[in-house]
Amino acid sequence: GAVVSQHPSRVICKSGTSVKIECRSLDFQATTMFWYRQFPKQSLMLMATSNEGSKATYEQGVEKDKFLINHASLTLSTLTVTSAHPEDSSFYICSVPQGELHEQYFGPGTRLTVT
Amino acid sequence: GQNIDQPTEMTATEGAIVQINCTYQTSGFNGLFWYQQHAGEAPTFLSYNVLDGLEEKGRFSSFLSRSKGYSYLLLKELQMKDSASYLCAIMDSNYQLIWGAGTKLIIKP
C-alpha cells in the first residue's frame, strides 16, 4: 500500500500561534488526501478532504478559516491550525486512498499540544 | 442516519480466540473495513469485505452479512502484541469512510 509520512510527529505550541502539519505520499501520486482528528479514547473524525489543485471539502462543523488546507502537489498536503487554542490539542492524522478498494493508508499522525 | 456500533472494550487471554462484532446502519455501502490501531499510533489496514461471507488472512478473519448489517473480526492464537483498538469502518456511496468508535482489546497472559 501507499507509504505516507507526516511532519512533525509531535508539536507543542503556545495559544494563539499557528502550526503547519505536512502530509506526504512517498510512493503514490494522490489527488485526494483525508485529514482526521482524534481525541483521546474517541474515534477518528474526518475534518476535510484535500483535493489537489482545488479547494478542500470540509466536514460540517469544521471551520475552514481555522484549519487551512493546501494540496499544492500530488504528493503533499498541508494542514495549518491557525490561532491554536488548548481545545485544538489532538492527534491529527492524514490518509491517502489507494487502489480499487479505495482503502486508506495513514500517516503516522501528529500529536499537537497547545499550551 | 448513520450509525456504527462496536463494544467499547474486550478482554481475552493470550493464545485464545476473540470475536469483535460490528453492527451498522449507513446510507450507501461500498464495503466494510477493519483497522488496527495501537495506542498513540495511526490505524493500519487489516481487512476488507464487500460480499457476504468470511475472508481469512492468517490469524485474522473478517465476516460480513449485508442483510443483517453485521460484521465481525475474529482473531486466533492471540498474542500480546494484538492488544490494540480495532476500528470498524464503512465506505459510503461517496467512497468516504465512516468510522466506529473502536473496540479496545486487552490481552492478558
Side-chain angles (χ1 to χ4, degrees):
Chain A
V3 179
V4 183
S5 70
Q6 272 184 251
H7 177 81
S9 58
R10 289 179 179 273
V11 58
I12 301 173
C13 70
K14 292 186 177 180
S15 186
T17 61
S18 295
V19 174
K20 180 186 284 188
I21 302 170
E22 294 185 348
C23 176
R24 292 183 184 272
S25 176
L26 299 181
D27 60 349
F28 178 73
Q29 292 187 324
T31 56
T32 299
M33 294 184 181
F34 296 105
W35 284 98
Y36 290 90
R37 179 167 54 181
Q38 187 177 34
F39 292 106
K41 299 185 179 181
Q42 294 187 23
S43 187
L44 295 167
M45 295 295 295
L46 179 65
M47 299 176 67
T49 302
S50 174
N51 305 299
E52 188 269 335
S54 64
K55 291 182 179 180
T57 305
Y58 289 82
E59 295 300 303
Q60 193 171 10
V62 178
E63 300 173 58
K64 62 180 181 181
D65 294 330
K66 179 172 179 63
F67 298 98
L68 302 178
I69 290 173
N70 185 287
H71 195 149
S73 76
L74 289 172
T75 59
L76 174 64
S77 175
T78 61
L79 168 68
T80 302
V81 183
T82 63
S83 186
H85 290 286
E87 56 264 32
D88 297 324
S89 298
S90 187
F91 191 46
Y92 292 85
I93 318 174
C94 69
S95 73
V96 172
Q98 186 188 33
E100 294 182 359
L101 302 182
H102 301 269
E103 71 263 32
Q104 294 185 22
Y105 293 90
F106 287 85
T110 297
R111 177 78 56 191
L112 170 64
T113 303
V114 184
T115 61
Chain B
Q2 308 201 95
N3 193 45
I4 300 177
D5 286 317
Q6 303 178 236
T8 304
E9 187 174 297
M10 298 182 71
T11 302
T13 305
E14 189 177 15
I17 299 173
V18 71
Q19 177 175 311
I20 303 173
N21 296 325
C22 171
T23 58
Y24 64 89
Q25 288 180 306
T26 57
S27 56
F29 181 84
N30 274 309
L32 184 146
F33 292 80
W34 283 96
Y35 279 80
Q36 181 190 59
Q37 186 178 24
H38 284 101
E41 298 180 11
T44 55
F45 170 73
L46 286 179
S47 68
Y48 171 77
N49 295 69
V50 68
L51 300 177
D52 289 353
L54 187 68
E55 294 282 341
E56 297 186 75
K57 191 185 292 185
R59 293 189 300 114
F60 294 2
S61 302
S62 56
F63 171 84
L64 174 67
S65 169
R66 287 172 297 172
S67 62
K68 294 182 180 179
Y70 168 69
S71 172
Y72 68 72
L73 179 69
L74 191 71
L75 293 75
K76 302 177 184 177
E77 302 171 17
L78 286 170
Q79 302 174 10
M80 297 303 293
K81 67 179 183 179
D82 297 329
S83 292
S85 287
Y86 291 86
L87 310 176
C88 171
I90 305 298
M91 182 161 282
D92 67 12
S93 52
N94 295 318
Y95 293 99
Q96 285 191 350
L97 286 178
I98 304 166
W99 294 86
T103 299
K104 182 179 180 181
L105 178 63
I106 300 169
I107 310 296
K108 294 185 175 180

